[in-house]
Amino acid sequence: MKVLQVISGMSLKSGGPTTCTYNLLKGLQDTSMAVDLLTFDAVENDKIISREDFMKILPPPKKPRFSYSKALKLWLEEHNDYDLYHTNALWQYPAHAAAVFAQKHNKPYIISPHGMLYPEGLNTSKWFKKVALLLFQKKDLKKATAFHATSHREMKYLRAFGLQQPIAVIPNAIDVNTIQTASIHKKSDPIKIGFLGRLAPIKNLEVLFEAWHASEALTKQAELVVIGDGEEHYMEHLRTVITKKNIENITFTGFLSGEAQEEVMQQLSYLILPSKSENFGMVVPEALARQIPVIASKGTPWEELKTHSCGWWIDNDLETLSTTINEALRLDETQRLEMGKNGRALVEEKYSVDAVSTMMYEFYQWLLSNTETQPSFVDIKS
């Protein structure tokens, strides 16, 4: 049994799908199934996550907006012995080319939209996506054999879009064994709350900054550490918000990766993700694996922060954010460490590479065996 996953990019700056896709593929390498990944190389000033044998890497496309590549089409035609195709993300040529190839050769294919059918996602670059839907994307979706959603919330959006095929709800994978737990903080250490991710309007950073200003952060000698970058015009807007409102104790690190990012993460007492909408939020389990409690908005699918006592799952308005920041600042270090241990236990149980790759392997096996009894995590439209 051979499976080919396809994704446009696997560079360090590509965001969440890069890490979770790589972790899944690494886990699947330990099964009896042969799984490869077809992708493009990183562009200048970026770096691809890996060059292992299962990574089939092509030169980057000249026009990244749609990522058209004749080389990718030829590669699919020359390597046509896969039993199942699994595409990641929407709107770009690699996933479309793999879907067309699978349709042409009567091969099953799965689509992982990675949150791209959320209403907020559809409203970004709206006209481009309307045209893409008319030209190819809607057909690719309707003819897919099955879908992979990372949360029940995403599954609901797929159903709302009118998709009737089986949907497997399988979370993103975290390589827990490679993540070092954060250091125990001394009473004299400043309390650092970190945001990690792409700086964009959907992340609700303006409200976070105002909530920070309204909290007791200054009297507690706390620091808000913003890790990431964004479009220059938006970065300038954030700097203007901070200057006009005289907001203090906010540090911007810019984009960090590898050891530089890890060094900053090890200093955090909490991670905060106040997004208006988030499909999965890889930064959440990555923080929990480090035993860092998390404050996440209800725009994210992280109710488990509340049910597993490893953080806060809250509304993302100014008052609620400010109140929750104050609660975190007042928390006794013993309680914070206990929340951290709860978070690590949750990730090990549900989000580890072994747990997630086992689910995906079972999903692949079920699709290819045509048995009637589906896995418990697969939803079939009645």
Side-chain angles (χ1 to χ4, degrees), residues 187-303:
K187 282 188 177 180
S188 57
D189 292 337
I191 300 174
K192 294 187 178 184
I193 299 181
F195 169 90
L196 171 62
R198 179 74 174 163
L199 308 190
I202 200 168
K203 301 296 185 176
N204 204 33
L205 291 168
E206 296 92 336
V207 176
L208 170 60
F209 292 170
E210 292 194 41
W212 178 257
H213 186 56
S215 74
E216 299 173 355
L218 294 181
T219 59
K220 294 290 183 180
Q221 295 182 326
E223 180 182 0
L224 179 62
V225 184
V226 182
I227 310 163
D229 59 13
E231 299 292 338
E232 182 52 39
H233 67 89
Y234 184 66
M235 297 294 294
E236 183 60 36
H237 165 68
L238 292 178
R239 287 190 285 266
T240 300
V241 169
I242 291 170
T243 301
K244 282 188 175 180
K245 296 184 178 292
N246 195 28
I247 304 174
E248 299 180 335
N249 290 18
I250 296 180
T251 301
F252 288 85
T253 69
F255 175 79
L256 298 177
S257 63
E259 292 181 3
Q261 184 187 105
E262 186 61 31
E263 183 179 349
V264 175
M265 290 291 287
Q266 286 292 319
Q267 299 172 25
L268 298 183
S269 298
Y270 303 96
L271 184 95
I272 189 163
L273 187 63
S275 303
K276 298 174 185 176
S277 177
E278 197 84 36
N279 176 48
F280 186 79
M282 280 290 289
V283 295
V284 174
E286 287 174 351
L288 295 178
R290 290 176 172 84
Q291 297 189 6
I292 300 171
V294 176
I295 301 169
S297 74
K298 290 181 179 177
T300 76
W302 281 99
E303 187 175 0

Side-chain angles (χ1 to χ4, degrees), residues 4-258:
L4 180 68
Q5 286 214 18
V6 181
I7 190 169
S8 294
M10 287 290 286
S11 70
L12 295 179
K13 292 185 178 181
S14 295
T18 295
T19 305
C20 65
T21 300
Y22 177 73
N23 288 343
L24 173 62
L25 267 292
K26 285 290 289 181
L28 288 170
Q29 299 308 308
D30 296 330
T31 70
S32 59
M33 184 180 294
V35 186
D36 293 329
L37 178 69
L38 181 61
T39 190
F40 293 126
D41 207 343
V43 297
E44 191 177 355
N45 299 322
D46 203 349
K47 184 179 179 182
I48 198 161
I49 195 170
S50 169
R51 294 187 181 276
E52 292 162 86
D53 289 344
F54 67 85
M55 301 274 289
K56 310 304 177 183
I57 304 169
L58 300 176
K62 293 180 180 179
K63 295 182 179 180
R65 184 68 178 88
F66 180 55
S67 294
Y68 174 77
S69 168
K70 187 176 180 180
L72 186 140
K73 183 179 179 180
L74 290 172
W75 194 98
L76 288 170
E77 292 173 350
E78 292 170 358
H79 303 81
N80 56 11
D81 58 340
Y82 292 96
D83 302 299
L84 175 67
Y85 293 80
H86 185 163
T87 69
N88 291 274
L90 306 176
W91 317 118
Q92 292 196 317
Y93 181 75
H96 170 59
V100 169
F101 185 86
Q103 293 167 27
K104 180 180 177 181
H105 295 276
N106 295 314
K107 300 285 185 75
Y109 70 96
I110 301 166
I111 296 176
S112 294
H114 291 288
M116 293 186 180
L117 288 179
Y118 277 51
E120 296 85 355
L122 290 170
N123 283 329
T124 304
S125 302
K126 193 171 183 177
W127 288 108
F128 170 78
K129 291 173 182 177
K130 279 189 173 183
V131 173
L133 280 169
L134 287 171
L135 292 178
F136 66 91
Q137 192 63 81
K138 191 169 186 178
K139 181 181 178 182
D140 291 350
L141 291 166
K142 293 294 184 183
K143 288 187 173 291
T145 308
F147 291 90
H148 161 225
T150 57
S151 66
H152 284 90
R153 184 182 180 202
E154 183 176 22
M155 181 183 73
K156 290 178 181 177
Y157 282 124
L158 298 184
R159 291 292 184 222
F161 197 78
L163 301 171
Q164 305 293 313
Q165 300 96 314
I167 300 175
V169 181
I170 302 174
N172 288 332
I174 305 298
D175 192 354
V176 183
N177 295 327
T178 64
I179 295 179
Q180 179 184 352
T181 57
S183 319
I184 297 175
H185 300 151
K186 301 175 184 177
K187 282 188 177 180
S188 57
D189 292 337
I191 300 174
K192 294 187 178 184
I193 299 181
F195 169 90
L196 171 62
R198 179 74 174 163
L199 308 190
I202 200 168
K203 301 296 185 176
N204 204 33
L205 291 168
E206 296 92 336
V207 176
L208 170 60
F209 292 170
E210 292 194 41
W212 178 257
H213 186 56
S215 74
E216 299 173 355
L218 294 181
T219 59
K220 294 290 183 180
Q221 295 182 326
E223 180 182 0
L224 179 62
V225 184
V226 182
I227 310 163
D229 59 13
E231 299 292 338
E232 182 52 39
H233 67 89
Y234 184 66
M235 297 294 294
E236 183 60 36
H237 165 68
L238 292 178
R239 287 190 285 266
T240 300
V241 169
I242 291 170
T243 301
K244 282 188 175 180
K245 296 184 178 292
N246 195 28
I247 304 174
E248 299 180 335
N249 290 18
I250 296 180
T251 301
F252 288 85
T253 69
F255 175 79
L256 298 177
S257 63

